Amino acid sequence: MSHIKTTWTGQLKIQAETSLTDILQQLCDAFNHSPFLQHNGIEMRVVDDQIQGHLNMHPNLIGNVAYEILHGGVAATLLDSLGGVVAMAELYKRADEHHRAQVLKQIERLATLDLRVDYLTAGRGQYFIAHAEVLRMGKKSCTMRMSMQNDCAVNIAVAIASYVY
């Protein structure tokens, strides 16, 4: 457990000269150390200065054995985790250099308040990619919209979540 605590988001190395890409990569690295996300094969990546969630399909992720489709809980985990890490990144993006210490505390406390997932079609594919966007950023909470597509660019699921910080 001590390894997780020392690599989690409260331990970001942010200085005045730290680039946005470096911050995004540090957030991804912190999430990628999560044992639960590792167990499910979920990985956060920085692509074109945006954080994306990635998941390769594996037999242990099948929820419906008869149809061999992705378990809905794994899809929800990908969407929720991505929404959280993108919210953290957005908090940092909006902070000026005088408020970075406060932002680090908000990032460390961020937690899901509410999550709604709509499953649009069966979770079939070799891999899945998720994207997130900010709907609203407030002083104490935010609302995010996430979507997940398969390797054929078919929308598998969408979600809206609220996070408190």
Side-chain angles (χ1 to χ4, degrees):
M1 282 289 213
S2 62
H3 174 68
I4 296 166
K5 187 164 180 62
T6 60
T7 58
W8 191 232
T9 55
Q11 304 298 319
L12 294 177
K13 293 174 181 70
I14 300 174
Q15 294 152 5
E17 66 278 359
T18 306
S19 72
L20 176 60
T21 302
D22 288 340
I23 295 300
L24 297 178
Q25 189 58 58
Q26 285 185 52
L27 286 167
C28 287
D29 292 345
F31 267 71
N32 292 339
H33 277 93
S34 162
F36 185 68
L37 297 185
Q38 288 177 351
H39 174 77
N40 286 291
I42 294 172
E43 181 183 17
M44 302 300 164
R45 299 178 185 167
V46 179
V47 178
D48 298 327
D49 279 339
Q50 300 291 320
I51 298 176
Q52 294 179 353
H54 291 255
L55 172 66
N56 290 321
M57 185 61 165
H58 293 285
N60 63 311
L61 301 178
I62 292 173
N64 185 317
V65 179
Y67 293 101
E68 297 186 356
I69 58 175
L70 182 68
H71 190 286
V74 177
T77 298
L78 172 61
L79 293 168
D80 182 30
S81 298
L82 178 66
V85 72
V86 171
M88 291 175 180
E90 193 63 30
L91 282 168
Y92 179 78
K93 286 179 191 177
R94 293 174 185 227
D96 61 30
E97 63 186 69
H98 303 294
H99 294 95
R100 289 199 175 136
Q102 178 184 348
V103 167
L104 287 177
K105 289 182 191 245
Q106 289 177 316
I107 287 172
E108 188 176 336
R109 291 190 310 252
L110 189 134
T112 306
L113 281 175
D114 185 58
L115 173 69
R116 176 192 164 87
V117 179
D118 290 316
Y119 300 98
L120 305 175
T121 191
R124 290 191 181 90
Q126 298 293 313
Y127 63 87
F128 305 92
I129 299 174
H131 302 85
E133 65 177 310
V134 176
L135 295 179
R136 179 189 172 279
M137 291 294 290
K139 290 182 181 181
K140 296 182 180 184
S141 66
C142 65
T143 303
M144 307 290 292
R145 178 183 301 147
M146 295 78 70
S147 62
M148 183 180 88
Q149 295 80 33
N150 67 7
D151 53 323
C152 296
V154 173
N155 285 323
I156 302 298
V158 295
I160 291 182
S162 296
Y163 301 90
V164 65
Y165 34 84

Short mmCIF file of all heavy atoms in Angstrom, two decimals, residues 23-70:
data_model
loop_
_atom_site.label_atom_id
_atom_site.label_comp_id
_atom_site.label_asym_id
_atom_site.label_seq_id
_atom_site.Cartn_x
_atom_site.Cartn_y
_atom_site.Cartn_z
N ILE A 23 2.50 17.67 -16.68
CA ILE A 23 1.46 17.50 -15.66
C ILE A 23 0.49 16.40 -16.07
O ILE A 23 0.12 15.53 -15.27
CB ILE A 23 0.69 18.82 -15.41
CG1 ILE A 23 1.62 19.86 -14.83
CG2 ILE A 23 -0.52 18.60 -14.52
CD1 ILE A 23 2.24 19.48 -13.51
N LEU A 24 0.04 16.43 -17.32
CA LEU A 24 -0.88 15.41 -17.81
C LEU A 24 -0.25 14.03 -17.70
O LEU A 24 -0.91 13.06 -17.28
CB LEU A 24 -1.29 15.70 -19.25
CG LEU A 24 -2.06 17.00 -19.50
CD1 LEU A 24 -2.35 17.17 -20.98
CD2 LEU A 24 -3.32 17.08 -18.68
N GLN A 25 1.03 13.92 -18.04
CA GLN A 25 1.71 12.62 -17.96
C GLN A 25 1.83 12.16 -16.51
O GLN A 25 1.65 10.98 -16.22
CB GLN A 25 3.09 12.69 -18.63
CG GLN A 25 3.74 11.32 -18.77
CD GLN A 25 2.89 10.36 -19.57
OE1 GLN A 25 2.54 10.64 -20.72
NE2 GLN A 25 2.52 9.23 -18.98
N GLN A 26 2.11 13.09 -15.59
CA GLN A 26 2.18 12.72 -14.18
C GLN A 26 0.83 12.21 -13.67
O GLN A 26 0.77 11.24 -12.91
CB GLN A 26 2.63 13.91 -13.33
CG GLN A 26 4.11 14.22 -13.45
CD GLN A 26 4.51 15.33 -12.49
OE1 GLN A 26 4.24 15.26 -11.29
NE2 GLN A 26 5.16 16.36 -13.02
N LEU A 27 -0.26 12.86 -14.09
CA LEU A 27 -1.59 12.39 -13.69
C LEU A 27 -1.85 11.00 -14.25
O LEU A 27 -2.36 10.12 -13.55
CB LEU A 27 -2.66 13.37 -14.16
CG LEU A 27 -2.75 14.67 -13.37
CD1 LEU A 27 -3.63 15.69 -14.11
CD2 LEU A 27 -3.30 14.42 -11.98
N CYS A 28 -1.51 10.80 -15.52
CA CYS A 28 -1.69 9.47 -16.12
C CYS A 28 -0.87 8.42 -15.39
O CYS A 28 -1.36 7.33 -15.08
CB CYS A 28 -1.30 9.49 -17.60
SG CYS A 28 -2.46 10.35 -18.66
N ASP A 29 0.38 8.75 -15.09
CA ASP A 29 1.25 7.81 -14.38
C ASP A 29 0.66 7.45 -13.02
O ASP A 29 0.70 6.28 -12.61
CB ASP A 29 2.65 8.39 -14.20
CG ASP A 29 3.42 8.52 -15.51
OD1 ASP A 29 3.00 7.92 -16.53
OD2 ASP A 29 4.43 9.25 -15.52
N ALA A 30 0.12 8.44 -12.31
CA ALA A 30 -0.49 8.18 -11.01
C ALA A 30 -1.66 7.21 -11.14
O ALA A 30 -1.77 6.23 -10.40
CB ALA A 30 -0.93 9.50 -10.36
N PHE A 31 -2.55 7.46 -12.10
CA PHE A 31 -3.70 6.57 -12.31
C PHE A 31 -3.23 5.19 -12.76
O PHE A 31 -3.80 4.18 -12.36
CB PHE A 31 -4.67 7.18 -13.34
CG PHE A 31 -5.76 7.98 -12.71
CD1 PHE A 31 -5.49 9.20 -12.11
CD2 PHE A 31 -7.07 7.51 -12.69
CE1 PHE A 31 -6.49 9.95 -11.52
CE2 PHE A 31 -8.08 8.25 -12.10
CZ PHE A 31 -7.79 9.48 -11.51
N ASN A 32 -2.21 5.15 -13.59
CA ASN A 32 -1.72 3.87 -14.11
C ASN A 32 -1.08 3.01 -13.04
O ASN A 32 -0.85 1.82 -13.26
CB ASN A 32 -0.79 4.09 -15.29
CG ASN A 32 -1.52 4.65 -16.50
OD1 ASN A 32 -2.74 4.52 -16.62
ND2 ASN A 32 -0.79 5.27 -17.40
N HIS A 33 -0.79 3.57 -11.86
CA HIS A 33 -0.28 2.79 -10.74
C HIS A 33 -1.40 2.18 -9.89
O HIS A 33 -1.13 1.44 -8.96
CB HIS A 33 0.63 3.65 -9.85
CG HIS A 33 2.02 3.75 -10.37
ND1 HIS A 33 2.44 4.76 -11.19
CD2 HIS A 33 3.08 2.93 -10.20
CE1 HIS A 33 3.71 4.58 -11.49
NE2 HIS A 33 4.11 3.47 -10.91
N SER A 34 -2.64 2.50 -10.19
CA SER A 34 -3.75 1.96 -9.42
C SER A 34 -3.85 0.45 -9.65
O SER A 34 -4.00 0.00 -10.78
CB SER A 34 -5.07 2.62 -9.87
OG SER A 34 -6.18 1.84 -9.46
N PRO A 35 -3.78 -0.35 -8.58
CA PRO A 35 -3.89 -1.80 -8.75
C PRO A 35 -5.19 -2.22 -9.43
O PRO A 35 -5.20 -3.16 -10.22
CB PRO A 35 -3.82 -2.34 -7.32
CG PRO A 35 -3.10 -1.29 -6.57
CD PRO A 35 -3.51 0.02 -7.19
N PHE A 36 -6.30 -1.53 -9.13
CA PHE A 36 -7.58 -1.92 -9.72
C PHE A 36 -7.58 -1.65 -11.22
O PHE A 36 -8.05 -2.48 -12.01
CB PHE A 36 -8.73 -1.18 -9.04
CG PHE A 36 -10.08 -1.63 -9.51
CD1 PHE A 36 -10.55 -2.90 -9.21
CD2 PHE A 36 -10.88 -0.79 -10.27
CE1 PHE A 36 -11.80 -3.33 -9.65
CE2 PHE A 36 -12.13 -1.21 -10.71
CZ PHE A 36 -12.58 -2.48 -10.41
N LEU A 37 -7.08 -0.49 -11.64
CA LEU A 37 -7.01 -0.19 -13.07
C LEU A 37 -6.05 -1.14 -13.77
O LEU A 37 -6.32 -1.61 -14.87
CB LEU A 37 -6.63 1.26 -13.31
CG LEU A 37 -7.62 2.31 -12.80
CD1 LEU A 37 -7.19 3.71 -13.21
CD2 LEU A 37 -9.03 2.03 -13.26
N GLN A 38 -4.92 -1.45 -13.13
CA GLN A 38 -3.97 -2.41 -13.70
C GLN A 38 -4.62 -3.78 -13.85
O GLN A 38 -4.45 -4.44 -14.88
CB GLN A 38 -2.72 -2.52 -12.83
CG GLN A 38 -1.82 -1.32 -12.91
CD GLN A 38 -0.63 -1.43 -11.97
OE1 GLN A 38 -0.55 -2.33 -11.14
NE2 GLN A 38 0.31 -0.50 -12.11
N HIS A 39 -5.37 -4.20 -12.84
CA HIS A 39 -6.05 -5.50 -12.87
C HIS A 39 -7.00 -5.59 -14.07
O HIS A 39 -7.14 -6.64 -14.69
CB HIS A 39 -6.82 -5.71 -11.56
CG HIS A 39 -7.66 -6.94 -11.55
ND1 HIS A 39 -7.13 -8.21 -11.38
CD2 HIS A 39 -8.99 -7.11 -11.70
CE1 HIS A 39 -8.10 -9.10 -11.43
NE2 HIS A 39 -9.24 -8.46 -11.62
N ASN A 40 -7.66 -4.48 -14.39
CA ASN A 40 -8.60 -4.46 -15.51
C ASN A 40 -7.95 -4.09 -16.84
O ASN A 40 -8.63 -4.08 -17.86
CB ASN A 40 -9.74 -3.49 -15.20
CG ASN A 40 -10.69 -4.06 -14.18
OD1 ASN A 40 -11.41 -5.01 -14.46
ND2 ASN A 40 -10.68 -3.50 -12.99
N GLY A 41 -6.66 -3.78 -16.82
CA GLY A 41 -5.96 -3.44 -18.06
C GLY A 41 -6.27 -2.04 -18.57
O GLY A 41 -6.06 -1.75 -19.74
N ILE A 42 -6.74 -1.16 -17.70
CA ILE A 42 -7.07 0.21 -18.09
C ILE A 42 -5.82 1.07 -17.97
O ILE A 42 -5.11 1.02 -16.96
CB ILE A 42 -8.20 0.77 -17.21
CG1 ILE A 42 -9.50 -0.01 -17.47
CG2 ILE A 42 -8.39 2.27 -17.44
CD1 ILE A 42 -10.63 0.31 -16.53
N GLU A 43 -5.58 1.85 -19.01
CA GLU A 43 -4.40 2.72 -19.03
C GLU A 43 -4.80 4.12 -19.50
O GLU A 43 -5.56 4.27 -20.46
CB GLU A 43 -3.35 2.15 -19.97
CG GLU A 43 -2.09 2.97 -20.05
CD GLU A 43 -1.09 2.43 -21.04
OE1 GLU A 43 -1.47 1.60 -21.90
OE2 GLU A 43 0.07 2.85 -20.96
N MET A 44 -4.28 5.13 -18.82
CA MET A 44 -4.47 6.52 -19.23
C MET A 44 -3.26 6.94 -20.05
O MET A 44 -2.13 6.64 -19.68
CB MET A 44 -4.63 7.44 -18.01
CG MET A 44 -5.79 7.07 -17.10
SD MET A 44 -7.37 7.13 -17.97
CE MET A 44 -8.39 6.21 -16.83
N ARG A 45 -3.51 7.66 -21.15
CA ARG A 45 -2.43 8.11 -22.03
C ARG A 45 -2.66 9.56 -22.42
O ARG A 45 -3.80 10.00 -22.56
CB ARG A 45 -2.40 7.28 -23.32
CG ARG A 45 -2.16 5.82 -23.10
CD ARG A 45 -2.20 5.09 -24.42
NE ARG A 45 -2.08 3.65 -24.23
CZ ARG A 45 -2.32 2.75 -25.17
NH1 ARG A 45 -2.70 3.14 -26.38
NH2 ARG A 45 -2.18 1.47 -24.92
N VAL A 46 -1.55 10.27 -22.66
CA VAL A 46 -1.62 11.63 -23.17
C VAL A 46 -1.50 11.55 -24.69
O VAL A 46 -0.51 11.02 -25.21
CB VAL A 46 -0.50 12.52 -22.60
CG1 VAL A 46 -0.58 13.93 -23.18
CG2 VAL A 46 -0.56 12.56 -21.08
N VAL A 47 -2.51 12.05 -25.39
CA VAL A 47 -2.54 12.07 -26.85
C VAL A 47 -2.93 13.48 -27.28
O VAL A 47 -4.02 13.94 -26.94
CB VAL A 47 -3.54 11.03 -27.43
CG1 VAL A 47 -3.58 11.10 -28.94
CG2 VAL A 47 -3.19 9.63 -26.94
N ASP A 48 -2.04 14.15 -27.98
CA ASP A 48 -2.29 15.53 -28.44
C ASP A 48 -2.73 16.44 -27.29
O ASP A 48 -3.71 17.17 -27.39
CB ASP A 48 -3.35 15.55 -29.56
CG ASP A 48 -2.89 14.79 -30.79
OD1 ASP A 48 -1.67 14.80 -31.08
OD2 ASP A 48 -3.75 14.19 -31.47
N ASP A 49 -2.00 16.39 -26.19
CA ASP A 49 -2.27 17.20 -24.99
C ASP A 49 -3.66 16.97 -24.40
O ASP A 49 -4.22 17.84 -23.75
CB ASP A 49 -2.03 18.68 -25.25
CG ASP A 49 -0.55 19.04 -25.16
OD1 ASP A 49 0.22 18.28 -24.53
OD2 ASP A 49 -0.17 20.08 -25.72
N GLN A 50 -4.21 15.80 -24.62
CA GLN A 50 -5.47 15.38 -24.01
C GLN A 50 -5.26 14.01 -23.37
O GLN A 50 -4.50 13.20 -23.90
CB GLN A 50 -6.59 15.26 -25.06
CG GLN A 50 -6.90 16.54 -25.80
CD GLN A 50 -7.54 17.57 -24.91
OE1 GLN A 50 -8.40 17.27 -24.09
NE2 GLN A 50 -7.12 18.82 -25.07
N ILE A 51 -5.94 13.76 -22.28
CA ILE A 51 -5.85 12.43 -21.65
C ILE A 51 -6.94 11.56 -22.22
O ILE A 51 -8.11 11.96 -22.30
CB ILE A 51 -5.98 12.54 -20.12
CG1 ILE A 51 -4.82 13.36 -19.55
CG2 ILE A 51 -6.01 11.14 -19.50
CD1 ILE A 51 -4.91 13.60 -18.06
N GLN A 52 -6.56 10.36 -22.64
CA GLN A 52 -7.49 9.36 -23.14
C GLN A 52 -7.36 8.10 -22.28
O GLN A 52 -6.29 7.80 -21.76
CB GLN A 52 -7.18 8.97 -24.58
CG GLN A 52 -7.39 10.05 -25.59
CD GLN A 52 -7.04 9.58 -27.00
OE1 GLN A 52 -6.53 8.48 -27.20
NE2 GLN A 52 -7.32 10.43 -27.97
N GLY A 53 -8.46 7.36 -22.18
CA GLY A 53 -8.43 6.07 -21.52
C GLY A 53 -8.37 4.97 -22.56
O GLY A 53 -9.04 5.05 -23.59
N HIS A 54 -7.54 3.95 -22.31
CA HIS A 54 -7.36 2.84 -23.25
C HIS A 54 -7.58 1.51 -22.53
O HIS A 54 -7.20 1.36 -21.37
CB HIS A 54 -5.96 2.86 -23.85
CG HIS A 54 -5.74 4.00 -24.77
ND1 HIS A 54 -5.71 3.85 -26.13
CD2 HIS A 54 -5.57 5.32 -24.54
CE1 HIS A 54 -5.53 5.04 -26.70
NE2 HIS A 54 -5.43 5.94 -25.75
N LEU A 55 -8.17 0.59 -23.24
CA LEU A 55 -8.44 -0.73 -22.70
C LEU A 55 -8.37 -1.75 -23.82
O LEU A 55 -9.09 -1.62 -24.82
CB LEU A 55 -9.84 -0.76 -22.06
CG LEU A 55 -10.38 -2.11 -21.60
CD1 LEU A 55 -9.56 -2.65 -20.44
CD2 LEU A 55 -11.84 -1.98 -21.21
N ASN A 56 -7.50 -2.73 -23.68
CA ASN A 56 -7.45 -3.86 -24.62
C ASN A 56 -8.38 -4.95 -24.12
O ASN A 56 -8.42 -5.23 -22.92
CB ASN A 56 -6.04 -4.40 -24.76
CG ASN A 56 -5.12 -3.45 -25.49
OD1 ASN A 56 -5.51 -2.80 -26.45
ND2 ASN A 56 -3.89 -3.34 -25.03
N MET A 57 -9.14 -5.55 -25.02
CA MET A 57 -10.06 -6.63 -24.65
C MET A 57 -9.26 -7.87 -24.29
O MET A 57 -8.30 -8.23 -24.98
CB MET A 57 -11.02 -6.92 -25.81
CG MET A 57 -12.08 -7.92 -25.47
SD MET A 57 -13.11 -7.35 -24.11
CE MET A 57 -14.49 -8.46 -24.26
N HIS A 58 -9.65 -8.49 -23.19
CA HIS A 58 -9.06 -9.76 -22.73
C HIS A 58 -10.19 -10.67 -22.28
O HIS A 58 -11.25 -10.19 -21.85
CB HIS A 58 -8.10 -9.52 -21.56
CG HIS A 58 -6.88 -8.75 -21.94
ND1 HIS A 58 -5.85 -9.31 -22.65
CD2 HIS A 58 -6.54 -7.46 -21.73
CE1 HIS A 58 -4.92 -8.40 -22.86
NE2 HIS A 58 -5.31 -7.26 -22.31
N PRO A 59 -10.00 -11.97 -22.32
CA PRO A 59 -11.05 -12.91 -21.91
C PRO A 59 -11.56 -12.67 -20.49
O PRO A 59 -12.74 -12.87 -20.22
CB PRO A 59 -10.38 -14.28 -22.03
CG PRO A 59 -9.30 -14.08 -23.06
CD PRO A 59 -8.82 -12.67 -22.87
N ASN A 60 -10.69 -12.22 -19.57
CA ASN A 60 -11.14 -12.01 -18.19
C ASN A 60 -12.03 -10.78 -18.04
O ASN A 60 -12.58 -10.54 -16.96
CB ASN A 60 -9.95 -11.91 -17.23
CG ASN A 60 -9.05 -10.73 -17.53
OD1 ASN A 60 -8.66 -10.52 -18.68
ND2 ASN A 60 -8.70 -9.97 -16.52
N LEU A 61 -12.23 -9.99 -19.11
CA LEU A 61 -13.09 -8.81 -19.05
C LEU A 61 -14.48 -9.06 -19.63
O LEU A 61 -15.31 -8.17 -19.66
CB LEU A 61 -12.43 -7.64 -19.81
CG LEU A 61 -11.07 -7.21 -19.30
CD1 LEU A 61 -10.51 -6.08 -20.16
CD2 LEU A 61 -11.13 -6.79 -17.84
N ILE A 62 -14.72 -10.30 -20.07
CA ILE A 62 -16.01 -10.65 -20.66
C ILE A 62 -17.08 -10.69 -19.57
O ILE A 62 -16.91 -11.31 -18.53
CB ILE A 62 -15.94 -12.01 -21.40
CG1 ILE A 62 -15.04 -11.87 -22.63
CG2 ILE A 62 -17.32 -12.52 -21.77
CD1 ILE A 62 -14.75 -13.18 -23.33
N GLY A 63 -18.18 -10.00 -19.84
CA GLY A 63 -19.31 -10.00 -18.91
C GLY A 63 -20.39 -10.96 -19.35
O GLY A 63 -20.94 -11.71 -18.56
N ASN A 64 -20.70 -10.96 -20.63
CA ASN A 64 -21.70 -11.85 -21.20
C ASN A 64 -20.96 -12.96 -21.94
O ASN A 64 -20.47 -12.76 -23.04
CB ASN A 64 -22.62 -11.08 -22.14
CG ASN A 64 -23.75 -11.94 -22.66
OD1 ASN A 64 -23.54 -13.09 -23.02
ND2 ASN A 64 -24.94 -11.36 -22.73
N VAL A 65 -20.89 -14.13 -21.30
CA VAL A 65 -20.10 -15.24 -21.85
C VAL A 65 -20.68 -15.74 -23.17
O VAL A 65 -19.93 -16.07 -24.09
CB VAL A 65 -20.01 -16.39 -20.81
CG1 VAL A 65 -19.22 -17.55 -21.37
CG2 VAL A 65 -19.38 -15.87 -19.52
N ALA A 66 -21.99 -15.77 -23.29
CA ALA A 66 -22.61 -16.28 -24.51
C ALA A 66 -22.25 -15.44 -25.73
O ALA A 66 -22.05 -15.97 -26.82
CB ALA A 66 -24.13 -16.34 -24.34
N TYR A 67 -22.15 -14.13 -25.54
CA TYR A 67 -21.86 -13.23 -26.67
C TYR A 67 -20.44 -12.67 -26.65
O TYR A 67 -20.06 -11.92 -27.55
CB TYR A 67 -22.88 -12.09 -26.70
CG TYR A 67 -24.26 -12.56 -27.03
CD1 TYR A 67 -25.20 -12.74 -26.02
CD2 TYR A 67 -24.62 -12.87 -28.34
CE1 TYR A 67 -26.48 -13.19 -26.32
CE2 TYR A 67 -25.89 -13.32 -28.64
CZ TYR A 67 -26.82 -13.48 -27.63
OH TYR A 67 -28.08 -13.93 -27.93
N GLU A 68 -19.69 -13.00 -25.60
CA GLU A 68 -18.30 -12.55 -25.44
C GLU A 68 -18.16 -11.04 -25.60
O GLU A 68 -17.39 -10.55 -26.43
CB GLU A 68 -17.38 -13.31 -26.41
CG GLU A 68 -17.33 -14.79 -26.13
CD GLU A 68 -16.31 -15.53 -26.98
OE1 GLU A 68 -15.66 -14.92 -27.85
OE2 GLU A 68 -16.16 -16.74 -26.74
N ILE A 69 -18.91 -10.31 -24.77
CA ILE A 69 -18.83 -8.85 -24.81
C ILE A 69 -18.27 -8.32 -23.49
O ILE A 69 -18.34 -8.97 -22.45
CB ILE A 69 -20.20 -8.20 -25.12
CG1 ILE A 69 -21.24 -8.61 -24.09
CG2 ILE A 69 -20.65 -8.55 -26.52
CD1 ILE A 69 -22.58 -7.91 -24.27
N LEU A 70 -17.74 -7.12 -23.55
CA LEU A 70 -17.12 -6.47 -22.42
C LEU A 70 -18.12 -6.31 -21.26
O LEU A 70 -19.27 -5.94 -21.48
CB LEU A 70 -16.60 -5.09 -22.84
CG LEU A 70 -15.88 -4.26 -21.80
CD1 LEU A 70 -14.54 -4.91 -21.44
CD2 LEU A 70 -15.65 -2.85 -22.32
#
